[in-house]
């Protein structure tokens, strides 16, 4: 067996394969990767902001006395569950090379995972934003009166909570507009890249 001849044959074969690679596909992959990195950076910061908000809530829960402690722990747990669900979907996003799937399939799966994360956050926003005002008011009342029993017995407390909840509804649309301004353009670009690969 002539090793030198085998090496030359292998080298020639690799050179032929290299010339057959479509340069446009490499460019599309590079652009897609850049778009994914941009989207992932924004999603990571979204998930970090949940932690930035809920850690002070947890710290405050250990400082205060009375039933306010339980309300703050409940809010902390709600934030953490939301973040955990987002992280599970976030881990589905592939940024490395997947030799078992073509570029289009990887991009479609990543696109779907990102959309699922944003959809989950939207649902959470629809539920939490109208409740944020009442929870804040309830937290203040608990800080002053120390117990749920005293707060519930306050006159007009139910009407106050409903009024504050109604004030929170417009914030749903503001939050949605903010999300759109951050994510719609790169998601549309990624969708166009997927269409190019079809």
């Amino acid at each position: 067996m002539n090793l030198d001849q085998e090496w030359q044959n292998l080298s020639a074969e690799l050179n032929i394969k290299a010339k057959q690679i479509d340069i446009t596909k490499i460019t599309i992959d590079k652009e897609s990767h850049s778009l994914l990195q941009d989207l992932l950076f924004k999603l990571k910061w979204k998930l970090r902001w949940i932690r930035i908000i809920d850690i002070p809530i947890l710290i405050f829960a250990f400082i205060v006395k009375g039933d306010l402690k339980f309300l703050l722990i409940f809010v902390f747990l709600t934030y953490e569950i939301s973040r955990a669900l987002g992280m599970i979907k976030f881990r589905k996003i592939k940024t490395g090379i997947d030799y078992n799937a073509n570029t289009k399939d990887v991009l479609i799966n990543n696109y779907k995972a990102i959309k699922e994360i944003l959809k989950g956050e939207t649902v959470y926003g629809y539920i939490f934003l109208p409740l944020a005002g009442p929870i804040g008011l309830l937290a203040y009342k608990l800080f002053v009166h120390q117990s749920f029993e005293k707060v519930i017995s306050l006159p007009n407390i139910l009407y106050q909570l409903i009024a504050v909840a109604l004030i929170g509804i417009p914030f749903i649309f503001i939050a949605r507009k903010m999300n759109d301004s951050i994510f719609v353009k790169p998601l549309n670009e990624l969708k166009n890249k997927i269409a190019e690969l079809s």
Side-chain angles (χ1 to χ4, degrees):
M1 183 176 187
N2 188 342
L3 288 177
D4 186 46
Q5 183 61 44
E6 286 294 322
W7 179 255
Q8 287 177 4
N9 290 345
L10 180 61
S11 178
E13 190 178 327
L14 288 173
N15 286 335
I16 290 166
K17 292 281 185 193
K19 287 176 185 174
Q20 290 174 347
I21 294 172
D22 187 353
I23 299 299
T24 58
K25 286 186 179 175
I26 293 171
T27 307
I28 289 168
D29 287 346
K30 187 177 178 183
E31 289 173 8
S32 301
H33 185 71
S34 175
L35 278 169
L36 277 174
Q37 291 304 321
D38 181 42
L39 283 164
L40 291 178
F41 176 78
K42 290 172 180 175
L43 282 172
K44 275 182 187 175
W45 268 105
K46 255 188 175 307
L47 294 168
R48 281 183 190 138
W49 269 109
I50 294 172
R51 185 61 54 84
I52 289 167
I53 292 167
D54 73 4
I55 292 297
I57 291 171
L58 182 64
I59 292 167
F60 195 58
F62 288 111
I63 296 169
V64 297
K65 294 177 181 178
D67 289 347
L68 177 56
K69 181 188 300 287
F70 301 112
L71 178 67
L72 293 176
I73 290 170
F74 172 76
V75 171
F76 168 79
L77 290 174
T78 305
Y79 270 114
E80 279 300 307
I81 290 166
S82 168
R83 185 179 183 278
L85 292 172
M87 286 303 294
I88 289 167
K89 289 171 185 169
F90 187 81
R91 288 190 184 104
K92 290 180 183 176
I93 299 169
K94 294 177 183 173
T95 54
I97 297 167
D98 185 353
Y99 293 104
N100 297 319
N102 62 39
T103 305
K104 183 186 168 190
D105 291 340
V106 171
L107 292 179
I108 287 170
N109 291 336
N110 287 348
Y111 178 80
K112 285 178 181 175
I114 293 166
K115 290 285 277 184
E116 279 179 27
I117 293 168
L118 294 174
K119 185 180 177 183
E121 191 206 24
T122 302
V123 170
Y124 183 79
Y126 277 121
I127 295 166
F128 185 75
L129 284 171
L131 293 177
I135 289 170
L137 179 63
L138 193 59
Y140 168 72
K141 297 285 186 185
L142 283 170
F143 182 75
V144 173
H145 300 287
Q146 299 293 310
S147 75
F148 280 111
E149 189 179 345
K150 287 180 185 174
V151 171
I152 290 168
S153 65
L154 291 171
N156 299 322
I157 187 66
L158 183 62
Y159 297 114
Q160 290 174 15
L161 293 172
I162 291 169
V164 177
L166 292 173
I167 293 168
I169 291 172
F171 287 98
I172 292 171
F173 302 103
I174 294 168
R176 187 165 187 137
K177 287 285 180 191
M178 288 170 64
N179 243 6
D180 288 350
S181 70
I182 296 168
F183 288 101
V184 165
K185 187 182 174 188
L187 276 172
N188 284 338
E189 288 176 7
L190 185 58
K191 194 175 181 180
N192 291 337
K193 289 295 167 196
I194 292 167
E196 282 177 25
L197 291 170
S198 295

